[in-house]
mmCIF file with all atom_site columns, all heavy atoms in Angstrom:
data_model
loop_
_atom_site.group_PDB
_atom_site.id
_atom_site.type_symbol
_atom_site.label_atom_id
_atom_site.label_alt_id
_atom_site.label_comp_id
_atom_site.label_asym_id
_atom_site.label_entity_id
_atom_site.label_seq_id
_atom_site.pdbx_PDB_ins_code
_atom_site.Cartn_x
_atom_site.Cartn_y
_atom_site.Cartn_z
_atom_site.occupancy
_atom_site.B_iso_or_equiv
_atom_site.pdbx_formal_charge
_atom_site.auth_seq_id
_atom_site.auth_comp_id
_atom_site.auth_asym_id
_atom_site.auth_atom_id
_atom_site.pdbx_PDB_model_num
ATOM 1   N N   . THR A 1 6  ? -0.221 15.094 1.533  1.00 0.00 ? 6  THR A N   1
ATOM 2   C CA  . THR A 1 6  ? -0.292 16.358 0.837  1.00 0.00 ? 6  THR A CA  1
ATOM 3   C C   . THR A 1 6  ? 0.713  17.306 1.370  1.00 0.00 ? 6  THR A C   1
ATOM 4   O O   . THR A 1 6  ? 1.330  17.068 2.506  1.00 0.00 ? 6  THR A O   1
ATOM 5   C CB  . THR A 1 6  ? -1.705 16.980 1.111  1.00 0.00 ? 6  THR A CB  1
ATOM 6   O OG1 . THR A 1 6  ? -1.808 17.281 2.503  1.00 0.00 ? 6  THR A OG1 1
ATOM 7   C CG2 . THR A 1 6  ? -2.836 16.110 0.619  1.00 0.00 ? 6  THR A CG2 1
ATOM 8   N N   . LYS A 1 7  ? 1.000  18.382 0.708  1.00 0.00 ? 7  LYS A N   1
ATOM 9   C CA  . LYS A 1 7  ? 1.953  19.343 1.167  1.00 0.00 ? 7  LYS A CA  1
ATOM 10  C C   . LYS A 1 7  ? 1.572  19.922 2.569  1.00 0.00 ? 7  LYS A C   1
ATOM 11  O O   . LYS A 1 7  ? 2.429  20.142 3.411  1.00 0.00 ? 7  LYS A O   1
ATOM 12  C CB  . LYS A 1 7  ? 2.127  20.520 0.193  1.00 0.00 ? 7  LYS A CB  1
ATOM 13  C CG  . LYS A 1 7  ? 2.919  20.210 -1.049 1.00 0.00 ? 7  LYS A CG  1
ATOM 14  C CD  . LYS A 1 7  ? 3.071  21.450 -1.907 1.00 0.00 ? 7  LYS A CD  1
ATOM 15  C CE  . LYS A 1 7  ? 3.784  21.051 -3.172 1.00 0.00 ? 7  LYS A CE  1
ATOM 16  N NZ  . LYS A 1 7  ? 4.039  22.207 -4.065 1.00 0.00 ? 7  LYS A NZ  1
ATOM 17  N N   . THR A 1 8  ? 0.267  20.105 2.763  1.00 0.00 ? 8  THR A N   1
ATOM 18  C CA  . THR A 1 8  ? -0.165 20.579 4.041  1.00 0.00 ? 8  THR A CA  1
ATOM 19  C C   . THR A 1 8  ? 0.192  19.682 5.160  1.00 0.00 ? 8  THR A C   1
ATOM 20  O O   . THR A 1 8  ? 0.623  20.121 6.252  1.00 0.00 ? 8  THR A O   1
ATOM 21  C CB  . THR A 1 8  ? -1.742 20.776 3.974  1.00 0.00 ? 8  THR A CB  1
ATOM 22  O OG1 . THR A 1 8  ? -2.057 21.619 2.902  1.00 0.00 ? 8  THR A OG1 1
ATOM 23  C CG2 . THR A 1 8  ? -2.289 21.314 5.330  1.00 0.00 ? 8  THR A CG2 1
ATOM 24  N N   . VAL A 1 9  ? 0.007  18.358 4.946  1.00 0.00 ? 9  VAL A N   1
ATOM 25  C CA  . VAL A 1 9  ? 0.356  17.387 5.962  1.00 0.00 ? 9  VAL A CA  1
ATOM 26  C C   . VAL A 1 9  ? 1.857  17.357 6.207  1.00 0.00 ? 9  VAL A C   1
ATOM 27  O O   . VAL A 1 9  ? 2.339  17.332 7.351  1.00 0.00 ? 9  VAL A O   1
ATOM 28  C CB  . VAL A 1 9  ? -0.134 15.984 5.573  1.00 0.00 ? 9  VAL A CB  1
ATOM 29  C CG1 . VAL A 1 9  ? 0.389  14.933 6.563  1.00 0.00 ? 9  VAL A CG1 1
ATOM 30  C CG2 . VAL A 1 9  ? -1.646 15.968 5.565  1.00 0.00 ? 9  VAL A CG2 1
ATOM 31  N N   . LYS A 1 10 ? 2.639  17.428 5.155  1.00 0.00 ? 10 LYS A N   1
ATOM 32  C CA  . LYS A 1 10 ? 4.102  17.517 5.276  1.00 0.00 ? 10 LYS A CA  1
ATOM 33  C C   . LYS A 1 10 ? 4.564  18.730 6.117  1.00 0.00 ? 10 LYS A C   1
ATOM 34  O O   . LYS A 1 10 ? 5.358  18.600 7.025  1.00 0.00 ? 10 LYS A O   1
ATOM 35  C CB  . LYS A 1 10 ? 4.755  17.549 3.957  1.00 0.00 ? 10 LYS A CB  1
ATOM 36  C CG  . LYS A 1 10 ? 4.667  16.221 3.159  1.00 0.00 ? 10 LYS A CG  1
ATOM 37  C CD  . LYS A 1 10 ? 5.301  16.353 1.831  1.00 0.00 ? 10 LYS A CD  1
ATOM 38  C CE  . LYS A 1 10 ? 5.131  15.049 1.050  1.00 0.00 ? 10 LYS A CE  1
ATOM 39  N NZ  . LYS A 1 10 ? 5.750  15.128 -0.316 1.00 0.00 ? 10 LYS A NZ  1
ATOM 40  N N   . TYR A 1 11 ? 3.983  19.890 5.875  1.00 0.00 ? 11 TYR A N   1
ATOM 41  C CA  . TYR A 1 11 ? 4.224  21.086 6.621  1.00 0.00 ? 11 TYR A CA  1
ATOM 42  C C   . TYR A 1 11 ? 3.771  20.929 8.078  1.00 0.00 ? 11 TYR A C   1
ATOM 43  O O   . TYR A 1 11 ? 4.493  21.327 8.968  1.00 0.00 ? 11 TYR A O   1
ATOM 44  C CB  . TYR A 1 11 ? 3.604  22.304 5.977  1.00 0.00 ? 11 TYR A CB  1
ATOM 45  C CG  . TYR A 1 11 ? 4.226  22.774 4.709  1.00 0.00 ? 11 TYR A CG  1
ATOM 46  C CD1 . TYR A 1 11 ? 3.350  23.102 3.608  1.00 0.00 ? 11 TYR A CD1 1
ATOM 47  C CD2 . TYR A 1 11 ? 5.599  22.855 4.559  1.00 0.00 ? 11 TYR A CD2 1
ATOM 48  C CE1 . TYR A 1 11 ? 3.964  23.505 2.394  1.00 0.00 ? 11 TYR A CE1 1
ATOM 49  C CE2 . TYR A 1 11 ? 6.139  23.204 3.328  1.00 0.00 ? 11 TYR A CE2 1
ATOM 50  C CZ  . TYR A 1 11 ? 5.342  23.549 2.267  1.00 0.00 ? 11 TYR A CZ  1
ATOM 51  O OH  . TYR A 1 11 ? 5.885  23.981 1.091  1.00 0.00 ? 11 TYR A OH  1
ATOM 52  N N   . TYR A 1 12 ? 2.645  20.383 8.266  1.00 0.00 ? 12 TYR A N   1
ATOM 53  C CA  . TYR A 1 12 ? 2.128  20.114 9.602  1.00 0.00 ? 12 TYR A CA  1
ATOM 54  C C   . TYR A 1 12 ? 3.100  19.285 10.400 1.00 0.00 ? 12 TYR A C   1
ATOM 55  O O   . TYR A 1 12 ? 3.405  19.601 11.541 1.00 0.00 ? 12 TYR A O   1
ATOM 56  C CB  . TYR A 1 12 ? 0.725  19.480 9.581  1.00 0.00 ? 12 TYR A CB  1
ATOM 57  C CG  . TYR A 1 12 ? 0.240  19.149 10.914 1.00 0.00 ? 12 TYR A CG  1
ATOM 58  C CD1 . TYR A 1 12 ? -0.400 20.088 11.771 1.00 0.00 ? 12 TYR A CD1 1
ATOM 59  C CD2 . TYR A 1 12 ? 0.363  17.813 11.411 1.00 0.00 ? 12 TYR A CD2 1
ATOM 60  C CE1 . TYR A 1 12 ? -0.805 19.767 13.033 1.00 0.00 ? 12 TYR A CE1 1
ATOM 61  C CE2 . TYR A 1 12 ? -0.140 17.482 12.664 1.00 0.00 ? 12 TYR A CE2 1
ATOM 62  C CZ  . TYR A 1 12 ? -0.689 18.477 13.451 1.00 0.00 ? 12 TYR A CZ  1
ATOM 63  O OH  . TYR A 1 12 ? -1.132 18.124 14.731 1.00 0.00 ? 12 TYR A OH  1
ATOM 64  N N   . LEU A 1 13 ? 3.550  18.155 9.864  1.00 0.00 ? 13 LEU A N   1
ATOM 65  C CA  . LEU A 1 13 ? 4.442  17.275 10.541 1.00 0.00 ? 13 LEU A CA  1
ATOM 66  C C   . LEU A 1 13 ? 5.790  17.977 10.808 1.00 0.00 ? 13 LEU A C   1
ATOM 67  O O   . LEU A 1 13 ? 6.373  17.800 11.922 1.00 0.00 ? 13 LEU A O   1
ATOM 68  C CB  . LEU A 1 13 ? 4.648  15.981 9.760  1.00 0.00 ? 13 LEU A CB  1
ATOM 69  C CG  . LEU A 1 13 ? 3.448  15.047 9.653  1.00 0.00 ? 13 LEU A CG  1
ATOM 70  C CD1 . LEU A 1 13 ? 3.729  13.913 8.761  1.00 0.00 ? 13 LEU A CD1 1
ATOM 71  C CD2 . LEU A 1 13 ? 3.012  14.554 11.028 1.00 0.00 ? 13 LEU A CD2 1
ATOM 72  N N   . SER A 1 14 ? 6.203  18.797 9.921  1.00 0.00 ? 14 SER A N   1
ATOM 73  C CA  . SER A 1 14 ? 7.482  19.565 10.141 1.00 0.00 ? 14 SER A CA  1
ATOM 74  C C   . SER A 1 14 ? 7.263  20.567 11.295 1.00 0.00 ? 14 SER A C   1
ATOM 75  O O   . SER A 1 14 ? 8.089  20.691 12.188 1.00 0.00 ? 14 SER A O   1
ATOM 76  C CB  . SER A 1 14 ? 7.866  20.299 8.874  1.00 0.00 ? 14 SER A CB  1
ATOM 77  O OG  . SER A 1 14 ? 9.000  21.064 9.117  1.00 0.00 ? 14 SER A OG  1
ATOM 78  N N   . ASP A 1 15 ? 6.138  21.250 11.281 1.00 0.00 ? 15 ASP A N   1
ATOM 79  C CA  . ASP A 1 15 ? 5.832  22.171 12.374 1.00 0.00 ? 15 ASP A CA  1
ATOM 80  C C   . ASP A 1 15 ? 5.632  21.475 13.657 1.00 0.00 ? 15 ASP A C   1
ATOM 81  O O   . ASP A 1 15 ? 6.035  21.971 14.727 1.00 0.00 ? 15 ASP A O   1
ATOM 82  C CB  . ASP A 1 15 ? 4.533  23.012 12.044 1.00 0.00 ? 15 ASP A CB  1
ATOM 83  C CG  . ASP A 1 15 ? 4.781  23.999 10.897 1.00 0.00 ? 15 ASP A CG  1
ATOM 84  O OD1 . ASP A 1 15 ? 5.872  24.278 10.583 1.00 0.00 ? 15 ASP A OD1 1
ATOM 85  O OD2 . ASP A 1 15 ? 3.725  24.477 10.417 1.00 0.00 ? 15 ASP A OD2 1
ATOM 86  N N   . LEU A 1 16 ? 5.048  20.313 13.634 1.00 0.00 ? 16 LEU A N   1
ATOM 87  C CA  . LEU A 1 16 ? 4.838  19.520 14.869 1.00 0.00 ? 16 LEU A CA  1
ATOM 88  C C   . LEU A 1 16 ? 6.118  19.185 15.501 1.00 0.00 ? 16 LEU A C   1
ATOM 89  O O   . LEU A 1 16 ? 6.265  19.207 16.756 1.00 0.00 ? 16 LEU A O   1
ATOM 90  C CB  . LEU A 1 16 ? 4.025  18.256 14.547 1.00 0.00 ? 16 LEU A CB  1
ATOM 91  C CG  . LEU A 1 16 ? 3.683  17.390 15.772 1.00 0.00 ? 16 LEU A CG  1
ATOM 92  C CD1 . LEU A 1 16 ? 2.896  18.147 16.789 1.00 0.00 ? 16 LEU A CD1 1
ATOM 93  C CD2 . LEU A 1 16 ? 2.894  16.120 15.271 1.00 0.00 ? 16 LEU A CD2 1
ATOM 94  N N   . THR A 1 17 ? 7.150  18.904 14.703 1.00 0.00 ? 17 THR A N   1
ATOM 95  C CA  . THR A 1 17 ? 8.466  18.604 15.251 1.00 0.00 ? 17 THR A CA  1
ATOM 96  C C   . THR A 1 17 ? 8.941  19.766 16.098 1.00 0.00 ? 17 THR A C   1
ATOM 97  O O   . THR A 1 17 ? 9.428  19.586 17.250 1.00 0.00 ? 17 THR A O   1
ATOM 98  C CB  . THR A 1 17 ? 9.460  18.316 14.132 1.00 0.00 ? 17 THR A CB  1
ATOM 99  O OG1 . THR A 1 17 ? 9.010  17.226 13.354 1.00 0.00 ? 17 THR A OG1 1
ATOM 100 C CG2 . THR A 1 17 ? 10.837 18.018 14.627 1.00 0.00 ? 17 THR A CG2 1
ATOM 101 N N   . GLU A 1 18 ? 8.811  20.939 15.526 1.00 0.00 ? 18 GLU A N   1
ATOM 102 C CA  . GLU A 1 18 ? 9.287  22.155 16.286 1.00 0.00 ? 18 GLU A CA  1
ATOM 103 C C   . GLU A 1 18 ? 8.401  22.450 17.490 1.00 0.00 ? 18 GLU A C   1
ATOM 104 O O   . GLU A 1 18 ? 8.945  22.824 18.558 1.00 0.00 ? 18 GLU A O   1
ATOM 105 C CB  . GLU A 1 18 ? 9.285  23.371 15.322 1.00 0.00 ? 18 GLU A CB  1
ATOM 106 C CG  . GLU A 1 18 ? 10.222 23.304 14.145 1.00 0.00 ? 18 GLU A CG  1
ATOM 107 C CD  . GLU A 1 18 ? 11.633 23.093 14.589 1.00 0.00 ? 18 GLU A CD  1
ATOM 108 O OE1 . GLU A 1 18 ? 12.103 23.805 15.506 1.00 0.00 ? 18 GLU A OE1 1
ATOM 109 O OE2 . GLU A 1 18 ? 12.271 22.186 14.063 1.00 0.00 ? 18 GLU A OE2 1
ATOM 110 N N   . ILE A 1 19 ? 7.121  22.267 17.373 1.00 0.00 ? 19 ILE A N   1
ATOM 111 C CA  . ILE A 1 19 ? 6.229  22.499 18.521 1.00 0.00 ? 19 ILE A CA  1
ATOM 112 C C   . ILE A 1 19 ? 6.555  21.515 19.666 1.00 0.00 ? 19 ILE A C   1
ATOM 113 O O   . ILE A 1 19 ? 6.698  21.968 20.832 1.00 0.00 ? 19 ILE A O   1
ATOM 114 C CB  . ILE A 1 19 ? 4.777  22.301 18.104 1.00 0.00 ? 19 ILE A CB  1
ATOM 115 C CG1 . ILE A 1 19 ? 4.341  23.477 17.186 1.00 0.00 ? 19 ILE A CG1 1
ATOM 116 C CG2 . ILE A 1 19 ? 3.824  22.238 19.302 1.00 0.00 ? 19 ILE A CG2 1
ATOM 117 C CD1 . ILE A 1 19 ? 3.050  23.230 16.422 1.00 0.00 ? 19 ILE A CD1 1
#
Side-chain angles (χ1 to χ4, degrees):
T6 64
K7 284 184 181 181
T8 304
V9 171
K10 290 178 183 178
Y11 289 135
Y12 174 81
L13 292 174
S14 178
D15 289 346
L16 181 58
T17 301
E18 296 302 313
I19 291 168

